[in-house]
Amino acid sequence: MSSKTKNNIVSTIEPPVELDVAAIRADFPILDQKINGHTLVYLDSAASSQKPREVINALLEHYRHNHSNIHRGLHTLAERSTEGYEKTRSHVAQFIGGVPTEEVIFTSGATESLNLLAYAWGDLNVHEGDEIVITEMEHHANIVPWFQLAQRRKAILKTIPITVCGHLDLSNLDTIITPRTKIVALCHMSNVLGTINPVAEIAEAAHKKGAIVVVDAAQSAPHTTIDVRALGADFVAFSSHKMLGPTGVGVLWGRSELLEEMPPFNTGGEMIREVRFDKITWNELPHKFEAGTPNIAGVIAFDAALSYLDKLGMYNIHHHEMEITRYAFERLSELDGLEIQGPQVVEDRGGTISFTDPVIHPHDISTFLDSHGIAIRAGHHCAQPLMRVMGKVATARASCYVYNDKSEIDALVDCLKDMRKYFGV
Ligand code: PMP
């Protein structure tokens, strides 16, 4: 039995199964090391996650026993590689809600998926005076392609603002999304604030005005159940490397009617049906959008990452991260003046916690923590417009995943206290 929360994260009415973090950690060889003399505490999964042994082995297994180019070969290795590659496509299709496999396109990452859309759908459909709506909390990957599209097509880029609490301010949505709006592109989960956005509600408003909806799920796909149709999305982008899989693999899901009418983005081998010097016809979906030799090993090993996530259960993962986040909020409140950005209600957010100290710069926080074996991220997190809205130059960001536990939050908070002593604050 399942039901949907207001943010379209599928929840079940059964209680979540607690993750066995000790057993999970044993699957991640990289975690078993000392950094600067201290046990590694990895709290930077929002930037990139670590990989379980199953994923590392899948990469090795592919190169040791199965590697060949895919699709065209008639020999055994070509068949094995093609089968492995297409198996991952089917798995992704299941993972995002049971969509047709031809709607799943492999790219090099969420960034490429969004660029593909801005060029292939955008150049075809956006004209002078049209509007593209994004939000103030977007990652540069979901700003720059639309900015460039607006420049190319003399269109207008508009933004949905955020409230002081780090939610989208939907009070003027009706005037922001208009009949001139062609695209509404937004993140499902913010990589800075952790906010989980009410995508379905915004999608409904966008569709009423005839716009398409592009969802940047780079931060949500690793942490929550994603049902692309329940989200009301027309296109969804995400990256394998943030969800236990290899780098260099991304996904673009799109409704087949829209993908069919789009021209290709990259051109070359694989994406054609027939090439003549006076006429070229395109291959069928999804191959039309996969020119050249893709990241075969990466895609094949991504299947192992998805299986690992399936085994744990996305609902259980989400619950685990909510518990850690709740604990982190409690413990971080022991530090006077430390400011956590974004929603303060754990149910409205993911496990990415951006914070600032009133005196110590985020870069100094990160450097101090690293000298004690704790990996976090500091900077603008590829969200400079959001930083400007927040009135910050940078934040420190700790982000958790399946292999983190509360003792690591203790290590973080204790170290932040030591840091204040060290800096004489
Ligand atoms: N969108 C968001 C919200 C992200 O956090 C990221 C990665 N930091 C991206 C897009 C881009 O992902 P990638 O670098 O894997 O293409």
Side-chain angles (χ1 to χ4, degrees):
M1 284 284 279
S2 71
S3 63
K4 302 228 166 54
T5 68
K6 67 181 167 135
N7 290 321
N8 282 95
I9 288 168
V10 176
S11 63
T12 75
I13 53 170
E14 285 124 38
V17 176
E18 226 168 273
L19 301 190
D20 182 349
V21 177
I24 292 171
R25 290 181 72 83
D27 291 334
F28 290 76
I30 201 169
L31 297 177
D32 185 21
Q33 64 172 305
K34 295 220 182 284
I35 298 284
N36 297 319
H38 301 265
T39 303
L40 169 63
V41 172
Y42 189 75
L43 291 170
D44 194 20
S45 294
S48 197
S49 71
Q50 299 301 350
K51 321 301 170 199
R53 200 170 275 107
E54 285 86 336
V55 170
I56 299 165
N57 288 347
L59 283 169
L60 287 175
E61 173 76 9
H62 173 76
Y63 282 125
R64 278 202 183 128
H65 300 295
N66 301 325
H67 181 69
S68 166
N69 213 326
I70 52 170
H71 292 143
R72 283 148 299 173
L74 296 172
H75 57 82
T76 304
L77 295 187
E79 276 167 15
R80 277 190 204 160
S81 291
T82 304
E83 227 169 78
Y85 187 88
E86 292 304 327
K87 183 166 169 259
T88 306
R89 198 189 306 278
S90 304
H91 201 161
V92 171
Q94 276 313 110
F95 192 82
I96 60 177
V99 298
T101 48
E102 69 270 18
E103 294 187 341
V104 174
I105 293 154
F106 288 119
T107 62
S108 64
T111 301
E112 194 188 26
S113 301
L114 293 164
N115 275 277
L116 187 163
L117 279 178
Y119 278 96
W121 197 91
D123 280 357
L124 186 69
N125 293 291
V126 175
H127 305 287
E128 189 167 347
D130 284 343
E131 297 164 355
I132 303 161
V133 173
I134 58 174
T135 84
E136 281 182 346
M137 65 168 81
E138 297 310 314
H139 185 281
H140 294 164
N142 203 28
I143 301 174
V144 185
W146 307 120
F147 177 93
Q148 291 293 89
L149 170 63
Q151 297 268 298
R152 285 198 301 281
R153 308 302 295 166
K154 297 193 172 57
I156 301 152
L157 189 65
K158 294 165 84 176
T159 52
I160 301 174
I162 57 165
T163 65
V164 282
C165 309
H167 290 282
L168 289 178
D169 179 354
L170 302 181
S171 52
N172 291 317
L173 199 59
D174 241 21
T175 55
I176 297 171
I177 304 176
T178 76
R180 291 306 309 250
T181 307
K182 287 289 167 71
I183 300 166
V184 176
L186 78 162
C187 60
H188 190 192
M189 191 186 294
S190 161
N191 68 313
V192 177
L193 305 170
T195 318
I196 299 170
N197 289 320
V199 172
E201 184 185 335
I202 297 167
E204 202 183 330
H207 287 147
K208 272 191 194 144
K209 301 275 171 76
I212 62 147
V213 176
V214 176
V215 178
D216 173 0
Q219 292 293 339
S220 56
H223 304 285
T224 64
T225 307
I226 296 281
D227 181 333
V228 292
R229 294 202 186 274
L231 279 176
D234 296 292
F235 294 103
V236 173
F238 53 95
S239 293
S240 142
H241 72 93
K242 291 186 199 285
M243 48 201 299
L244 309 182
T247 54
V249 176
V251 171
L252 172 65
W253 168 80
R255 285 202 290 117
S256 55
E257 315 86 88
L258 299 177
L259 292 169
E260 290 286 4
E261 70 186 31
M262 282 158 57
F265 172 49
N266 289 322
T267 55
E270 278 287 304
M271 48 72 66
I272 48 79
R273 177 167 292 133
E274 195 185 13
V275 177
R276 292 169 181 269
F277 287 124
D278 59 351
K279 187 170 188 255
I280 300 176
T281 49
W282 311 134
N283 204 341
E284 62 200 12
L285 290 178
H287 310 292
K288 181 171 80 172
F289 292 106
E290 293 182 7
T293 303
N295 184 348
I296 301 166
V299 167
I300 288 172
F302 185 32
D303 184 51
L306 294 173
S307 295
Y308 197 92
L309 293 173
D310 286 342
K311 185 180 72 181
L312 298 182
M314 296 309 291
Y315 176 57
N316 301 327
I317 292 171
H318 182 62
H319 178 79
H320 171 74
E321 291 171 6
M322 268 171 56
E323 288 294 297
I324 294 189
T325 306
R326 196 171 283 118
Y327 186 68
F329 266 69
E330 246 170 69
R331 291 279 347 249
L332 286 167
S333 71
E334 292 168 22
L335 289 136
D336 277 350
L338 190 117
E339 205 184 299
I340 297 178
Q341 313 299 323
Q344 305 293 307
V345 177
V346 169
E347 282 71 20
D348 289 351
R349 55 153 38 253
T352 291
I353 303 175
S354 282
F355 58 92
T356 48
D357 185 276
V359 179
I360 305 166
H361 191 280
H363 287 170
D364 292 329
I365 297 177
S366 180
T367 306
F368 188 88
L369 290 172
D370 179 60
S371 68
H372 293 75
I374 302 173
I376 63 147
R377 189 145 294 247
H380 54 63
H381 314 293
C382 294
Q384 286 178 348
L386 173 61
M387 290 291 144
R388 253 174 239 119
V389 170
M390 289 161 56
K392 309 270 179 223
V393 263
T395 69
R397 183 185 73 182
S399 51
C400 67
Y401 208 8
V402 294
Y403 33 68
N404 295 118
D405 63 17
K406 289 179 182 168
S407 74
E408 293 178 298
I409 300 299
D410 290 334
L412 170 73
V413 173
D414 292 348
C415 197
L416 289 172
K417 287 180 178 173
D418 289 346
M419 172 192 75
R420 282 188 166 179
K421 277 189 213 136
Y422 177 85
F423 282 98
V425 180

